[in-house]
Amino acid sequence: MQNVMAEQQTYSDNSLLLDAREQHVPRGVVTAHPLVIERAKGSEVWDVEGNRYLDFVGGIGVLNVGHNHPAVVNAVTRQLGLVSHACFQVVAYPGYIELARRLNQLVGNGQPFKSVFFTSGAEAVENAVKIARAHTRRSGIIAFDGAFHGRTLLGCTLTGMSQPYKQNFGPFPGEVYRLPFPNAFYGVSDEDCLNALEQLFAVQIAPERVAAIIIEPVQGDGGFLPAGPHFMQALRRVSEKHGILMICDEVQTGFGRTGKMFAFQHSAIVPDLITVAKSLGGGLPISGVVGKAAIVDAPLPGGLGGTYGGNALGCAAALAVLDLLEQDNLLVRSNLLGEKLNAHLQQLAEKYPCIGDVRGIGFMQAAEIIDPETRRPDAAMTQKILDCACQEGLLLIKCGLHRSTIRFLAPLVTTDSQLEEAMHILDIALARASGRLG
């Protein structure tokens, strides 16, 4: 009995569990906060010691409908009683087909589109590249500085950050080319990037050898940098001129995060392929590629798929998420919350000189932290702010090339009072980190 009690005790103590984590889990898997979470609901989580936290990370943009939404739980529970897994490559099941139909309508808006499902965002990106190469019979892929497209070998090759994603993991796949991404705060204009594209065509790879350009409409891990309508439309014109496919990576921006179902819709364009994951499953792992039917049909039978791709439980969760986005007007809510969050951050920027820039679209907002004297990114201060916020009960994470940007990915079901509480905590964290408050 004493041994049983001792074992149970380890599950009610953060430090003991984190010691075990250190012993059994490799250092390459980062845990941003020294907490072990036991339960969650909506925009709140509780650790094993019973402490409550406001979750403004949302599983890194996975929980647009919140933790454990009853509709998602009920849909998955029902599906679990029917079929948990069969593998769509062996036998079809209704959820996969219905999810494909609904996503095709949402993305294609009446045009013939098709969808194929996988497990992770990185798998979706890799398969989008496979589809693009199969369709165009070209090999070159153009990506952007600061992009994040996953941790697989091709994913981290496409990713535009050297550390920690590339490290000594090479050699990396070839035929990947890179462009600067617009960043008004650091003086990189749309025209600079478009000129770089023309230079790339002239110097590195002829456009007729390029299969696709892959872009996040708002860079996620790269710093929550939006690609404005002018840039997206110009990129679309260039890609159409040269027969290059345009892939929009909507893994983090999709499903209401920016105030529209997909971020590319802010630019009034239609990409050839989009990748989806994260909030599609409401907490369950599912990803996909949605694209123009003639393009997605390019690979031969058997060339796409995966054992767990479009798992029945993930499809059930995803269908529930799509219902909630429509029924609960969560796109409207995203815009309202985004306006309030942006206003709060702008007020804090006036109060604290270390906030150099506030930016975002919808409820995808960020604050860039700088050294007020040099105006350079301040990663150390950013980490201090995050640590102080965690101590006060607010979970946040950082992003950006220099890890100096605080990103906000709270669920779209966050209440006004929770947002106010979070901003009050952030104010305290900024005061403590900057030395104004002891």
Side-chain angles (χ1 to χ4, degrees):
M1 179 64 71
Q2 288 181 342
N3 289 338
V4 172
M5 292 299 293
E7 182 177 353
Q8 290 176 344
Q9 179 63 31
T10 65
Y11 288 91
S12 61
D13 188 301
N14 279 314
S15 61
L16 290 176
L17 277 167
L18 290 171
D19 286 345
R21 177 227 184 278
E22 195 71 20
Q23 180 181 354
H24 298 293
V25 180
R27 67 174 187 168
V29 182
V30 171
T31 301
H33 297 291
L35 305 172
V36 181
I37 298 303
E38 184 173 56
R39 62 187 178 93
K41 181 179 180 181
S43 298
E44 301 173 329
V45 297
W46 289 262
D47 69 14
V48 293
E49 297 175 6
N51 301 306
R52 167 189 172 269
Y53 297 85
L54 286 170
D55 182 6
F56 271 48
V57 181
I60 312 185
V62 168
L63 298 160
N64 285 2
V65 300
H67 288 275
N68 292 356
H69 195 290
V72 175
V73 172
N74 290 339
V76 173
T77 301
R78 178 182 179 278
Q79 184 61 50
L80 188 60
L82 297 172
V83 175
S84 62
H85 176 70
C87 186
F88 194 77
Q89 294 153 249
V90 178
V91 290
Y93 36 91
Y96 190 115
I97 298 168
E98 176 60 11
L99 181 59
R101 184 193 70 79
R102 291 185 64 176
L103 286 175
N104 295 339
Q105 178 60 39
L106 287 170
V107 177
N109 196 27
Q111 297 182 45
F113 270 59
K114 291 189 175 183
S115 295
V116 57
F117 299 117
F118 308 99
T119 310
S120 67
E123 288 176 79
V125 167
E126 293 224 1
N127 280 277
V129 170
K130 285 165 58 178
I131 291 167
R133 285 174 167 169
H135 176 75
T136 62
R137 298 185 181 275
R138 304 173 180 180
S139 56
I141 305 294
I142 296 174
F144 288 87
D145 294 343
F148 180 80
H149 296 295
R151 289 180 172 86
T152 59
L153 271 180
L154 180 58
C156 63
T157 304
L158 294 167
T159 291
M161 288 176 271
S162 60
Q163 296 293 349
Y165 304 119
K166 289 185 173 22
Q167 300 186 28
N168 58 341
F169 293 153
F172 299 103
E175 294 292 313
V176 173
Y177 303 85
R178 199 166 305 287
L179 292 175
F181 193 88
N183 186 336
F185 185 66
Y186 288 108
V188 182
S189 70
D190 292 354
E191 294 307 316
D192 292 333
C193 301
L194 293 170
N195 290 337
L197 176 58
E198 292 303 316
Q199 181 73 3
L200 187 148
F201 286 155
V203 174
Q204 296 193 55
I205 182 170
E208 57 266 24
R209 287 183 47 224
V210 178
I213 297 172
I214 184 167
I215 184 171
E216 299 162 276
V218 182
Q219 283 197 340
D221 203 39
F224 276 35
L225 297 168
H230 169 265
F231 184 69
M232 294 290 285
Q233 291 165 9
L235 210 59
R236 175 78 280 201
R237 288 192 297 270
V238 171
S239 66
E240 289 177 337
K241 175 183 176 182
H242 296 292
I244 298 169
L245 300 188
M246 185 174 187
I247 304 171
C248 283
D249 184 341
E250 294 269 3
V251 167
Q252 191 163 153
T253 53
F255 306 105
R257 176 54 51 184
T258 68
K260 290 187 179 291
M261 187 62 74
F262 303 104
F264 75 80
Q265 294 169 334
H266 289 282
S267 300
I269 63 165
V270 179
D272 298 296
L273 301 167
I274 76 165
T275 60
V276 294
K278 288 192 181 285
S279 275
L280 173 61
L284 270 72
I286 185 169
S287 67
V289 178
V290 187
K292 295 177 179 177
I295 295 172
V296 181
D297 272 339
L300 297 174
L304 300 176
T307 302
Y308 288 103
N311 170 267
L313 300 179
C315 288
L319 288 167
V321 167
L322 294 183
D323 287 342
L324 288 168
L325 288 168
E326 295 172 4
Q327 296 168 6
D328 293 357
N329 294 318
L330 291 183
L331 303 187
V332 173
R333 184 65 181 158
S334 176
N335 285 306
L336 290 173
L337 286 167
E339 291 173 4
K340 292 181 179 181
L341 175 56
N342 184 274
H344 278 293
L345 294 176
Q346 296 287 0
Q347 291 174 355
L348 290 172
E350 294 177 4
K351 184 176 179 181
Y352 299 98
C354 65
I355 300 180
D357 190 34
V358 172
R359 56 179 177 262
I361 304 175
F363 205 30
M364 188 174 184
Q365 298 285 325
E368 179 138 357
I369 306 303
I370 61 168
D371 181 321
E373 295 184 2
T374 65
R375 306 293 294 177
R376 295 184 62 80
D378 194 337
M381 174 60 76
T382 304
Q383 188 59 52
K384 283 183 183 179
I385 296 167
L386 298 185
D387 292 342
C388 291
C390 179
Q391 291 164 11
E392 296 294 325
L394 172 64
L395 302 183
L396 297 164
I397 55 172
K398 57 192 175 183
C399 62
L401 283 175
H402 306 286
R403 316 320 277 173
S404 58
T405 302
I406 300 174
R407 51 176 155 173
F408 298 83
L409 284 166
L412 307 184
V413 297
T414 300
T415 65
D416 290 350
S417 62
Q418 287 172 332
L419 181 59
E420 292 291 332
E421 181 185 358
M423 292 301 98
H424 175 66
I425 292 174
L426 182 59
D427 193 351
I428 294 172
L430 285 159
R432 286 190 170 163
S434 61
R436 292 192 186 188
L437 185 64

